[in-house]
Amino acid sequence: MALQRPEPVQVVKQRRDGALRGLLSGVPYIAYLGIQFDRRGDELTAILPFDEKLIGNPALPALHGGVTAAFLEVAAIIELAWGSLWEEIEAGRVDPTADMAPVRLPKTIDFTVDYLRSGLPRDAYARARINRSGRRYASVHVEAWQDNRARLFAQGTGHFLIPQPPDHPSE
Amino acid sequence: MTDIIQIARQFIEAIPHARALGMEFESLGDGKAVISMPYDPRFVGDPVTGVIHGGAVSALMDTASGAAVMCHPTAPASTATLDLRIDYFRAATPGQAITARAECYHVTRSVAFVRVTASDEDATRPVAAATGAFTLDRPKGAN
């Protein structure tokens, strides 16, 4: 049996990046905050470029606590949605070059933010880790930092409701 | 009362992110704050339904909580969020403003405990609720 040649790397990248763009482009609030995602293989890093409108305490100045909460929550939701989309992309069931149907995003049940130090007026980064993802519920932890990866300025944990496929209505 | 609302308005005007989200004080005083945020398509989290993103609701509840701490009778010099746990009950109705009602329910020398609810025009069914711990910085010489 002849070995199948692997696809050219740029084709693979194009498909994965296209799927990620499709996932993000539908959410106005992600664009409003200016959140971007950096992808290395299946690993995502959320990036929040600094902007004046993100300030919550002009005297320090510091990022708004609500912005930090929103940034962490977005990172968690996208990580979850990306995890399930990834399997579809790799199995060839999603073609981001065609018009992607809007991805149904997980719904937040609860989210707890731990503010460790004040957010400085510069770019912030976040990575989410899915601790448990069942058929209906998922638990996700997120860490956010600015200048030093080891010095977190906030962390969060949230529980999410996984969207059910339309042909499998929730029992 | 008008004075305190005027001061509160200036306070919110001075917070770039509160201004960016179009937040407005409804009432303020005695460790309680009510702030509303008009519906804005830019803050939508689900384009299919037009429902506002939970993150924007969190920002509103965090702002209302901070304001509640600042207007506590012990007159803190400043405050910052230590933690905030948000529970999402239902999707906010698209097109409706969201109002957060925050209350400092306990205050120690250095920490304020706050609870807050967020609702759309149907105030009987909140869309979200949160509890948080906030730092409390006493004015110099108050210790």
Side-chain angles (χ1 to χ4, degrees), chain A residues 14-124:
Chain A
Q14 208 171 30
R15 184 167 58 226
R16 292 173 181 172
D17 289 336
L20 182 58
R21 264 198 311 276
L23 179 60
L24 299 171
S25 65
V27 188
Y29 189 65
I30 293 179
Y32 176 75
L33 290 180
I35 300 173
Q36 303 158 6
F37 282 81
D38 184 38
R39 185 188 65 78
R40 294 283 178 269
D42 71 341
E43 183 196 63
L44 295 183
T45 306
I47 304 165
L48 179 71
F50 176 70
D51 190 283
E52 204 60 39
K53 72 167 188 268
L54 306 179
I55 290 289
N57 183 334
L60 289 175
L63 291 182
H64 194 289
V67 169
T68 302
F71 179 49
L72 295 179
E73 195 184 321
V74 164
I77 291 174
I78 294 302
E79 182 70 32
L80 265 178
W82 175 247
S84 45
L85 189 61
W86 176 266
E87 289 171 25
E88 301 289 302
I89 306 162
E90 298 308 292
R93 287 192 294 265
V94 167
D95 179 12
T97 50
D99 264 347
M100 247 171 83
V103 179
R104 292 168 67 224
L105 298 172
K107 286 199 166 75
T108 314
I109 299 167
D110 62 57
F111 201 78
T112 307
V113 188
D114 203 355
Y115 295 90
L116 303 171
R117 35 177 73 83
S118 69
L120 303 169
R122 57 190 75 151
D123 295 0

Side-chain angles (χ1 to χ4, degrees), chain B residues 3-25:
Chain B
D3 283 355
I4 203 158
I5 289 289
Q6 189 57 35
I7 292 164
R9 208 159 279 150
Q10 285 165 359
F11 167 82
I12 231 168
E13 277 290 302
I15 303 174
H17 193 64
R19 203 174 52 217
L21 293 186
M23 293 184 197
E24 279 184 23
F25 269 105

Side-chain angles (χ1 to χ4, degrees), chain B residues 86-106:
Chain B
I86 307 135
D87 295 330
Y88 295 99
F89 301 146
R90 66 176 177 94
T93 309
Q96 296 188 359
I98 299 173
T99 304
R101 293 173 175 81
E103 175 198 14
C104 262
Y105 66 96
H106 189 78

Side-chain angles (χ1 to χ4, degrees), chain B residues 19-41:
Chain B
R19 203 174 52 217
L21 293 186
M23 293 184 197
E24 279 184 23
F25 269 105
E26 304 270 330
S27 71
L28 183 79
D30 198 24
K32 290 178 187 162
V34 181
I35 302 183
S36 66
M37 175 176 77
Y39 182 82
D40 190 317

